[in-house]
Amino acid sequence: MSSGVEAEIALDAAVVLSLGMNRALGAAAGAAGRGAEALAALTEARADARAAALEEARDYHRVLLEVIDRNARIAVLTDARERHGAEITLPDPLMPTGQPISELTDWSEAAGIALDTAERQMSEQIAASVAARVFDLPAAGLVTGAQATGRQAAGAEAVLPAERPEARAAAEETLARVVARLLPDATAAEISSVGEAAAQLATARTAGEVEGLLTEVRIRVQAANQRTAERRAEAARLAAEEEAAAQAEDERRYLLDSVTAAFGELGYEVDQGFETLTAQDGTVTLTRDGWSQHAVRMKVEHAEHSAGPSSHATLRAALVRTQAPRNEEERRIDVEREQEWCATFEAARARMAGSGIHSDVRWRLDPGEQQLPVAPEARHTRGRAKPQAREQRQERGH
């Protein structure tokens, strides 16, 4: 854009963290203060104070994500427990509401251990249930592998050759061990498929048949686990994409709101709200009282990264005329407006820096280097308190 300026702008890391934490917390009172503290540290004169606040915010954000992950696992295992009728104990979810980082860390570690144990127990109970059905063991509910073995030893009739009861026990133990590897969030169809293969063991009469059927069970368990892992990975990918999109939108909105506020505090009006940056080409018009023939066209373009959100953007702004100049006096006023705009831009940069938005001017056209471009569509259309003729006289100094 001619007769203007181009600057690379970026959100400070503390701002990015603050936005992420507020979203993770749902803007919960108290906990969101961690991000606010890091943001406030941007204005600290001492670099060590700023670095310490930022590091604390990073640690808090990391623990928050761990808590969110544990809560998600609790939800998945709760659903699986209901589907399988398993008898396992799960920790209660934790709602972050401003607890100290040590408390969140302790809960996260304890919940992780409890969830690992619950997942293993559920897989064992699923395996024992399959084994019980295969070998006609009493199965009023899910039972452990040890319980199943005990019931068989207590007198259940062997299906394998009677002269080799140890073969039945060995097959049962192996089956329970193989099926116990099945992930607890496998689908009902996948568990049924494993059960169908396992059911064939009831008719096996030779060691070779038993080994062949156990191999088939292993294959089906591996296939089910592979599909489950793929579903988990896909869910994680979609969640990551959703999180990246939400973070990008939060950063975009914070950036645009801060830009709006900075220029608004300096006396400018945004004729087209910054929400228009989500549509068309994202260009807005800045005007101010006393400017009847001038406006600023501004555009913010965000960096595009397929790997996730970007806290970087490019701001382009140019002073334009709303109608062609008619004489040298109006051209002289153009230079004055350019000087005024340049000073305003520097003041706005300082205000944005206080909000954690850093800018690096890459290109600038100094006042008077070339004639202002004419953009009739940038004309101020809102109601005015002063007639245009009076404003023109004011611009000429009369």
Side-chain angles (χ1 to χ4, degrees), residues 263-276:
F263 285 101
E265 291 167 1
L266 293 169
Y268 288 79
E269 297 180 11
V270 183
D271 265 12
Q272 302 173 35
F274 266 95
E275 62 272 12
T276 60

mmCIF file with all atom_site columns, all heavy atoms in Angstrom, residues 263-276:
data_model
loop_
_atom_site.group_PDB
_atom_site.id
_atom_site.type_symbol
_atom_site.label_atom_id
_atom_site.label_alt_id
_atom_site.label_comp_id
_atom_site.label_asym_id
_atom_site.label_entity_id
_atom_site.label_seq_id
_atom_site.pdbx_PDB_ins_code
_atom_site.Cartn_x
_atom_site.Cartn_y
_atom_site.Cartn_z
_atom_site.occupancy
_atom_site.B_iso_or_equiv
_atom_site.pdbx_formal_charge
_atom_site.auth_seq_id
_atom_site.auth_comp_id
_atom_site.auth_asym_id
_atom_site.auth_atom_id
_atom_site.pdbx_PDB_model_num
ATOM 1   N N   . PHE A 1 263 ? -5.983  2.830  18.611 1.00 0.00 ? 263 PHE A N   1
ATOM 2   C CA  . PHE A 1 263 ? -6.311  3.960  17.741 1.00 0.00 ? 263 PHE A CA  1
ATOM 3   C C   . PHE A 1 263 ? -7.538  4.714  18.233 1.00 0.00 ? 263 PHE A C   1
ATOM 4   O O   . PHE A 1 263 ? -7.647  5.927  18.045 1.00 0.00 ? 263 PHE A O   1
ATOM 5   C CB  . PHE A 1 263 ? -6.505  3.478  16.304 1.00 0.00 ? 263 PHE A CB  1
ATOM 6   C CG  . PHE A 1 263 ? -5.221  3.147  15.611 1.00 0.00 ? 263 PHE A CG  1
ATOM 7   C CD1 . PHE A 1 263 ? -4.796  1.834  15.479 1.00 0.00 ? 263 PHE A CD1 1
ATOM 8   C CD2 . PHE A 1 263 ? -4.407  4.154  15.099 1.00 0.00 ? 263 PHE A CD2 1
ATOM 9   C CE1 . PHE A 1 263 ? -3.607  1.525  14.852 1.00 0.00 ? 263 PHE A CE1 1
ATOM 10  C CE2 . PHE A 1 263 ? -3.218  3.851  14.471 1.00 0.00 ? 263 PHE A CE2 1
ATOM 11  C CZ  . PHE A 1 263 ? -2.803  2.533  14.350 1.00 0.00 ? 263 PHE A CZ  1
ATOM 12  N N   . GLY A 1 264 ? -8.462  3.991  18.874 1.00 0.00 ? 264 GLY A N   1
ATOM 13  C CA  . GLY A 1 264 ? -9.628  4.679  19.435 1.00 0.00 ? 264 GLY A CA  1
ATOM 14  C C   . GLY A 1 264 ? -9.235  5.647  20.527 1.00 0.00 ? 264 GLY A C   1
ATOM 15  O O   . GLY A 1 264 ? -9.778  6.758  20.625 1.00 0.00 ? 264 GLY A O   1
ATOM 16  N N   . GLU A 1 265 ? -8.274  5.262  21.363 1.00 0.00 ? 265 GLU A N   1
ATOM 17  C CA  . GLU A 1 265 ? -7.806  6.150  22.430 1.00 0.00 ? 265 GLU A CA  1
ATOM 18  C C   . GLU A 1 265 ? -7.107  7.382  21.872 1.00 0.00 ? 265 GLU A C   1
ATOM 19  O O   . GLU A 1 265 ? -6.974  8.398  22.569 1.00 0.00 ? 265 GLU A O   1
ATOM 20  C CB  . GLU A 1 265 ? -6.866  5.383  23.353 1.00 0.00 ? 265 GLU A CB  1
ATOM 21  C CG  . GLU A 1 265 ? -7.567  4.315  24.180 1.00 0.00 ? 265 GLU A CG  1
ATOM 22  C CD  . GLU A 1 265 ? -6.587  3.375  24.846 1.00 0.00 ? 265 GLU A CD  1
ATOM 23  O OE1 . GLU A 1 265 ? -5.364  3.575  24.666 1.00 0.00 ? 265 GLU A OE1 1
ATOM 24  O OE2 . GLU A 1 265 ? -7.035  2.438  25.538 1.00 0.00 ? 265 GLU A OE2 1
ATOM 25  N N   . LEU A 1 266 ? -6.653  7.301  20.631 1.00 0.00 ? 266 LEU A N   1
ATOM 26  C CA  . LEU A 1 266 ? -5.956  8.416  20.001 1.00 0.00 ? 266 LEU A CA  1
ATOM 27  C C   . LEU A 1 266 ? -6.892  9.244  19.123 1.00 0.00 ? 266 LEU A C   1
ATOM 28  O O   . LEU A 1 266 ? -6.434  10.084 18.342 1.00 0.00 ? 266 LEU A O   1
ATOM 29  C CB  . LEU A 1 266 ? -4.778  7.894  19.171 1.00 0.00 ? 266 LEU A CB  1
ATOM 30  C CG  . LEU A 1 266 ? -3.657  7.262  20.006 1.00 0.00 ? 266 LEU A CG  1
ATOM 31  C CD1 . LEU A 1 266 ? -2.671  6.527  19.106 1.00 0.00 ? 266 LEU A CD1 1
ATOM 32  C CD2 . LEU A 1 266 ? -2.937  8.319  20.832 1.00 0.00 ? 266 LEU A CD2 1
ATOM 33  N N   . GLY A 1 267 ? -8.198  8.996  19.218 1.00 0.00 ? 267 GLY A N   1
ATOM 34  C CA  . GLY A 1 267 ? -9.168  9.842  18.536 1.00 0.00 ? 267 GLY A CA  1
ATOM 35  C C   . GLY A 1 267 ? -9.674  9.343  17.204 1.00 0.00 ? 267 GLY A C   1
ATOM 36  O O   . GLY A 1 267 ? -10.380 10.075 16.507 1.00 0.00 ? 267 GLY A O   1
ATOM 37  N N   . TYR A 1 268 ? -9.355  8.109  16.846 1.00 0.00 ? 268 TYR A N   1
ATOM 38  C CA  . TYR A 1 268 ? -9.799  7.577  15.552 1.00 0.00 ? 268 TYR A CA  1
ATOM 39  C C   . TYR A 1 268 ? -11.050 6.732  15.719 1.00 0.00 ? 268 TYR A C   1
ATOM 40  O O   . TYR A 1 268 ? -11.279 6.123  16.766 1.00 0.00 ? 268 TYR A O   1
ATOM 41  C CB  . TYR A 1 268 ? -8.696  6.745  14.901 1.00 0.00 ? 268 TYR A CB  1
ATOM 42  C CG  . TYR A 1 268 ? -7.552  7.581  14.379 1.00 0.00 ? 268 TYR A CG  1
ATOM 43  C CD1 . TYR A 1 268 ? -6.585  8.071  15.249 1.00 0.00 ? 268 TYR A CD1 1
ATOM 44  C CD2 . TYR A 1 268 ? -7.450  7.895  13.032 1.00 0.00 ? 268 TYR A CD2 1
ATOM 45  C CE1 . TYR A 1 268 ? -5.533  8.852  14.786 1.00 0.00 ? 268 TYR A CE1 1
ATOM 46  C CE2 . TYR A 1 268 ? -6.404  8.667  12.556 1.00 0.00 ? 268 TYR A CE2 1
ATOM 47  C CZ  . TYR A 1 268 ? -5.449  9.145  13.441 1.00 0.00 ? 268 TYR A CZ  1
ATOM 48  O OH  . TYR A 1 268 ? -4.415  9.928  12.977 1.00 0.00 ? 268 TYR A OH  1
ATOM 49  N N   . GLU A 1 269 ? -11.846 6.688  14.674 1.00 0.00 ? 269 GLU A N   1
ATOM 50  C CA  . GLU A 1 269 ? -13.041 5.863  14.646 1.00 0.00 ? 269 GLU A CA  1
ATOM 51  C C   . GLU A 1 269 ? -12.868 4.783  13.587 1.00 0.00 ? 269 GLU A C   1
ATOM 52  O O   . GLU A 1 269 ? -12.316 5.040  12.510 1.00 0.00 ? 269 GLU A O   1
ATOM 53  C CB  . GLU A 1 269 ? -14.284 6.688  14.307 1.00 0.00 ? 269 GLU A CB  1
ATOM 54  C CG  . GLU A 1 269 ? -14.615 7.758  15.345 1.00 0.00 ? 269 GLU A CG  1
ATOM 55  C CD  . GLU A 1 269 ? -15.859 8.542  14.959 1.00 0.00 ? 269 GLU A CD  1
ATOM 56  O OE1 . GLU A 1 269 ? -16.557 8.110  14.014 1.00 0.00 ? 269 GLU A OE1 1
ATOM 57  O OE2 . GLU A 1 269 ? -16.117 9.572  15.590 1.00 0.00 ? 269 GLU A OE2 1
ATOM 58  N N   . VAL A 1 270 ? -13.362 3.599  13.900 1.00 0.00 ? 270 VAL A N   1
ATOM 59  C CA  . VAL A 1 270 ? -13.306 2.496  12.944 1.00 0.00 ? 270 VAL A CA  1
ATOM 60  C C   . VAL A 1 270 ? -14.645 2.443  12.240 1.00 0.00 ? 270 VAL A C   1
ATOM 61  O O   . VAL A 1 270 ? -15.650 2.018  12.808 1.00 0.00 ? 270 VAL A O   1
ATOM 62  C CB  . VAL A 1 270 ? -13.018 1.166  13.656 1.00 0.00 ? 270 VAL A CB  1
ATOM 63  C CG1 . VAL A 1 270 ? -12.892 0.032  12.634 1.00 0.00 ? 270 VAL A CG1 1
ATOM 64  C CG2 . VAL A 1 270 ? -11.749 1.271  14.483 1.00 0.00 ? 270 VAL A CG2 1
ATOM 65  N N   . ASP A 1 271 ? -14.671 2.912  10.987 1.00 0.00 ? 271 ASP A N   1
ATOM 66  C CA  . ASP A 1 271 ? -15.939 2.976  10.246 1.00 0.00 ? 271 ASP A CA  1
ATOM 67  C C   . ASP A 1 271 ? -16.537 1.598  10.027 1.00 0.00 ? 271 ASP A C   1
ATOM 68  O O   . ASP A 1 271 ? -17.733 1.412  10.062 1.00 0.00 ? 271 ASP A O   1
ATOM 69  C CB  . ASP A 1 271 ? -15.724 3.664  8.894  1.00 0.00 ? 271 ASP A CB  1
ATOM 70  C CG  . ASP A 1 271 ? -16.053 5.155  8.979  1.00 0.00 ? 271 ASP A CG  1
ATOM 71  O OD1 . ASP A 1 271 ? -16.213 5.643  10.115 1.00 0.00 ? 271 ASP A OD1 1
ATOM 72  O OD2 . ASP A 1 271 ? -16.128 5.812  7.944  1.00 0.00 ? 271 ASP A OD2 1
ATOM 73  N N   . GLN A 1 272 ? -15.668 0.619  9.743  1.00 0.00 ? 272 GLN A N   1
ATOM 74  C CA  . GLN A 1 272 ? -16.131 -0.749 9.590  1.00 0.00 ? 272 GLN A CA  1
ATOM 75  C C   . GLN A 1 272 ? -15.513 -1.520 10.742 1.00 0.00 ? 272 GLN A C   1
ATOM 76  O O   . GLN A 1 272 ? -14.307 -1.589 10.854 1.00 0.00 ? 272 GLN A O   1
ATOM 77  C CB  . GLN A 1 272 ? -15.691 -1.353 8.258  1.00 0.00 ? 272 GLN A CB  1
ATOM 78  C CG  . GLN A 1 272 ? -16.175 -0.579 7.038  1.00 0.00 ? 272 GLN A CG  1
ATOM 79  C CD  . GLN A 1 272 ? -15.561 -1.130 5.765  1.00 0.00 ? 272 GLN A CD  1
ATOM 80  O OE1 . GLN A 1 272 ? -15.344 -2.319 5.647  1.00 0.00 ? 272 GLN A OE1 1
ATOM 81  N NE2 . GLN A 1 272 ? -15.271 -0.260 4.825  1.00 0.00 ? 272 GLN A NE2 1
ATOM 82  N N   . GLY A 1 273 ? -16.372 -2.091 11.613 1.00 0.00 ? 273 GLY A N   1
ATOM 83  C CA  . GLY A 1 273 ? -15.843 -2.765 12.780 1.00 0.00 ? 273 GLY A CA  1
ATOM 84  C C   . GLY A 1 273 ? -14.811 -3.809 12.412 1.00 0.00 ? 273 GLY A C   1
ATOM 85  O O   . GLY A 1 273 ? -14.843 -4.390 11.323 1.00 0.00 ? 273 GLY A O   1
ATOM 86  N N   . PHE A 1 274 ? -13.895 -4.067 13.314 1.00 0.00 ? 274 PHE A N   1
ATOM 87  C CA  . PHE A 1 274 ? -12.832 -5.014 13.004 1.00 0.00 ? 274 PHE A CA  1
ATOM 88  C C   . PHE A 1 274 ? -13.359 -6.427 12.791 1.00 0.00 ? 274 PHE A C   1
ATOM 89  O O   . PHE A 1 274 ? -12.636 -7.296 12.343 1.00 0.00 ? 274 PHE A O   1
ATOM 90  C CB  . PHE A 1 274 ? -11.794 -5.018 14.133 1.00 0.00 ? 274 PHE A CB  1
ATOM 91  C CG  . PHE A 1 274 ? -10.650 -4.081 13.870 1.00 0.00 ? 274 PHE A CG  1
ATOM 92  C CD1 . PHE A 1 274 ? -10.666 -2.800 14.385 1.00 0.00 ? 274 PHE A CD1 1
ATOM 93  C CD2 . PHE A 1 274 ? -9.579  -4.478 13.103 1.00 0.00 ? 274 PHE A CD2 1
ATOM 94  C CE1 . PHE A 1 274 ? -9.616  -1.937 14.147 1.00 0.00 ? 274 PHE A CE1 1
ATOM 95  C CE2 . PHE A 1 274 ? -8.535  -3.620 12.861 1.00 0.00 ? 274 PHE A CE2 1
ATOM 96  C CZ  . PHE A 1 274 ? -8.542  -2.339 13.379 1.00 0.00 ? 274 PHE A CZ  1
ATOM 97  N N   . GLU A 1 275 ? -14.640 -6.647 13.129 1.00 0.00 ? 275 GLU A N   1
ATOM 98  C CA  . GLU A 1 275 ? -15.189 -7.959 12.830 1.00 0.00 ? 275 GLU A CA  1
ATOM 99  C C   . GLU A 1 275 ? -15.216 -8.224 11.329 1.00 0.00 ? 275 GLU A C   1
ATOM 100 O O   . GLU A 1 275 ? -15.300 -9.358 10.893 1.00 0.00 ? 275 GLU A O   1
ATOM 101 C CB  . GLU A 1 275 ? -16.608 -8.095 13.402 1.00 0.00 ? 275 GLU A CB  1
ATOM 102 C CG  . GLU A 1 275 ? -17.623 -7.117 12.829 1.00 0.00 ? 275 GLU A CG  1
ATOM 103 C CD  . GLU A 1 275 ? -17.649 -5.796 13.604 1.00 0.00 ? 275 GLU A CD  1
ATOM 104 O OE1 . GLU A 1 275 ? -16.742 -5.568 14.422 1.00 0.00 ? 275 GLU A OE1 1
ATOM 105 O OE2 . GLU A 1 275 ? -18.585 -5.012 13.375 1.00 0.00 ? 275 GLU A OE2 1
ATOM 106 N N   . THR A 1 276 ? -15.121 -7.152 10.515 1.00 0.00 ? 276 THR A N   1
ATOM 107 C CA  . THR A 1 276 ? -15.104 -7.366 9.063  1.00 0.00 ? 276 THR A CA  1
ATOM 108 C C   . THR A 1 276 ? -13.823 -8.046 8.630  1.00 0.00 ? 276 THR A C   1
ATOM 109 O O   . THR A 1 276 ? -13.713 -8.483 7.493  1.00 0.00 ? 276 THR A O   1
ATOM 110 C CB  . THR A 1 276 ? -15.237 -6.026 8.318  1.00 0.00 ? 276 THR A CB  1
ATOM 111 O OG1 . THR A 1 276 ? -14.137 -5.178 8.689  1.00 0.00 ? 276 THR A OG1 1
ATOM 112 C CG2 . THR A 1 276 ? -16.533 -5.335 8.652  1.00 0.00 ? 276 THR A CG2 1
#
